[in-house]
Amino acid sequence: MDKNHSPKERLWNGEYLKVMCGNFLLFFAFYLLTPLLPLFLDAQFHADKDIIGLVLSGYVVATLLVRPFSGFMVDCFNRKKVLVICFFVFFICFAGYIGASTLLAFAIVRTFHGIPFGASTVANSTVAIDVLPASRRNEGIGFYGLSNNLAMAVAPSVGIWLYHATDNFPLLFWISLIVALAGFITVSTIKLRPRDIVKAKAAISLDHFFLTRAWLMAANICLFGLCWGVMGNYVAIFAQEKLEMTEGIGIFFLVLSAGLMLSRFMGRKALREGRITESCLQGVALSSAGYLLFALALGPWSFYMSALLVGLGNGRMYPSFLSMFVRVARHDQRGTANSSILISWDLGMGIGILMGGFIAQYVNYSAAFWIVAIIQITGSLLFALFTRRFYLARARTDA
């Protein structure tokens, strides 16, 4: 528990707001397209479901490859420069979607886009920790996570609404490009306090690139990322095929975002007081109920209720896990801690996207979501029985 909390230290300082805004715009630009890309690949290139899964998972592979080095870079070089350069490349990549005229070209652009996306998210989240006062760090991390979770929920609903209103995929690509430009301009104005740069050691070790002390936590959140990857990418097609819903997908993501927002305000006291594992346990339990209800597909009411439960659950779970990673790491490993949780999450998402596509191709989407519900419940039991004690044994008291 944080006994040094001081109400005089401002959580919502100007630099923190810039970091949150930049993070929101980064994720909004990227996830505006996420639920629509399967529809785009089917309509534009007539791709099979398993091919769609391969194309969509390409960015995750690139992200996974770059994230370990991203953590090393933000720990060993000027974080502001690393963030600005990576964000600029991320912005430029959206132009590639507009120019991609073949399935192969689109797959290459999507895969390459994972590199600046992975690096930018690591750099931005590490900068967020730097601009937070130490006594408000757990609480601040919780609200910071809201910026990307909210974008991941709101952006798809906006994208789906725009698609139904215009039936124009190039317009969506242009909007993402403009939003990414706004994010780049925002992060370019961030001012950081001078800090000591970590000097590269003579012997390169694994903990430069991945927080090995948090291996069980990483495995645990990988399972939760898998579940999110399937839901985030295939919810639109599942709703059309299973529930015959074509108009309510945007509402699903709005309800999901409402759950994410509510959970941050409901859980802020627990994070501020250091009750991280308690908050996380509540979150994974809520998410488990949501995924199970989603798989049951009892009708529109269960469809939307599952979105609310998953939003409430993930809004408590993810920032709690991020706080745990940071508290397990040394002060000079903040970048590594951020890259490690993102690597774990993205690995799960990549597996989920691939798995969902192949199961849908050879069985159906309903089977894919039943497997997701079982995996989510398994991950929740893993946290309750093992991961919680694993973290408590390794948490640093001076974090």
Side-chain angles (χ1 to χ4, degrees), residues 64-74 122 208-209 339 343:
L64 285 170
L65 291 175
V66 76
R67 280 234 163 105
F69 302 98
S70 303
F72 177 75
M73 288 171 61
V74 297
V122 171
H208 283 164
F209 307 102
S339 66
I343 288 168

Side-chain angles (χ1 to χ4, degrees), residues 8-60:
K8 294 181 181 179
E9 291 189 294
R10 290 181 58 206
L11 172 62
W12 301 101
N13 62 74
E15 304 312 310
Y16 177 61
L17 290 171
K18 290 178 187 176
V19 174
M20 283 192 66
C21 183
N23 191 57
F24 176 84
L25 293 171
L26 183 147
F27 276 86
F28 189 96
F30 198 78
Y31 282 93
L32 182 75
L33 308 175
T34 298
L36 295 168
L37 290 182
L39 301 176
F40 172 75
L41 295 174
D42 178 51
Q44 186 74 13
F45 303 114
H46 308 292
D48 292 332
K49 293 175 182 176
D50 52 348
I51 299 300
I52 290 174
L54 284 171
V55 172
L56 295 182
S57 63
Y59 88 89
V60 180

Side-chain angles (χ1 to χ4, degrees), residues 258-280:
L260 288 167
M261 292 182 66
L262 284 172
S263 68
R264 296 307 166 91
F265 289 100
M266 291 165 56
R268 64 181 299 185
K269 184 178 179 181
L271 289 176
R272 186 170 64 244
E273 295 176 350
R275 294 185 280 116
I276 300 172
T277 58
E278 177 186 323
S279 180
C280 189

Side-chain angles (χ1 to χ4, degrees), residues 252-393:
F252 177 91
F253 283 105
L254 286 175
V255 173
L256 184 67
S257 65
L260 288 167
M261 292 182 66
L262 284 172
S263 68
R264 296 307 166 91
F265 289 100
M266 291 165 56
R268 64 181 299 185
K269 184 178 179 181
L271 289 176
R272 186 170 64 244
E273 295 176 350
R275 294 185 280 116
I276 300 172
T277 58
E278 177 186 323
S279 180
C280 189
L281 188 59
Q282 294 170 358
V284 298
L286 284 168
S287 290
S288 295
Y291 281 109
L292 181 60
L293 188 60
F294 188 91
L296 287 169
L298 300 175
W301 72 268
S302 69
F303 184 68
Y304 297 127
M305 179 59 71
S306 67
L308 179 62
L309 290 172
V310 171
L312 289 170
N314 275 35
R316 298 290 289 272
M317 175 272 295
Y318 191 88
S320 299
F321 259 102
L322 180 54
S323 293
M324 287 190 281
F325 270 80
V326 171
R327 290 184 67 85
V328 165
R330 300 190 309 267
H331 291 299
D332 63 348
Q333 288 184 306
R334 287 177 181 171
T336 304
N338 277 284
S339 66
S340 296
I341 187 174
L342 291 168
I343 288 168
S344 307
W345 180 263
D346 284 342
L347 177 61
M349 281 191 63
I351 295 171
I353 294 170
L354 278 173
M355 184 193 77
F358 276 94
I359 294 175
Q361 178 70 22
Y362 299 107
V363 188
N364 53 48
Y365 281 111
S366 182
F369 280 104
W370 270 111
I371 292 174
V372 162
I374 293 170
I375 291 173
Q376 174 69 30
I377 293 170
T378 301
S380 300
L381 292 173
L382 176 64
F383 179 81
L385 299 176
F386 300 103
T387 307
R388 180 168 54 170
R389 285 183 292 177
F390 176 91
Y391 158 72
L392 292 172

Side-chain angles (χ1 to χ4, degrees), residues 66-130:
V66 76
R67 280 234 163 105
F69 302 98
S70 303
F72 177 75
M73 288 171 61
V74 297
D75 282 338
C76 295
F77 298 97
N78 184 291
R79 285 175 182 163
K80 168 73 177 293
K81 291 182 180 179
V82 171
L83 173 59
V84 169
I85 292 170
C86 293
F87 212 121
F88 178 77
V89 179
F90 170 79
F91 147 65
I92 289 296
C93 282
F94 282 104
Y97 295 124
I98 300 170
S101 57
T102 66
L103 181 61
L104 177 60
F106 189 92
I108 291 172
V109 172
R110 184 65 175 174
T111 299
F112 181 79
H113 206 176
I115 296 175
F117 176 73
S120 297
T121 51
V122 171
N124 207 64
S125 57
T126 307
V127 167
I129 295 172
D130 284 348

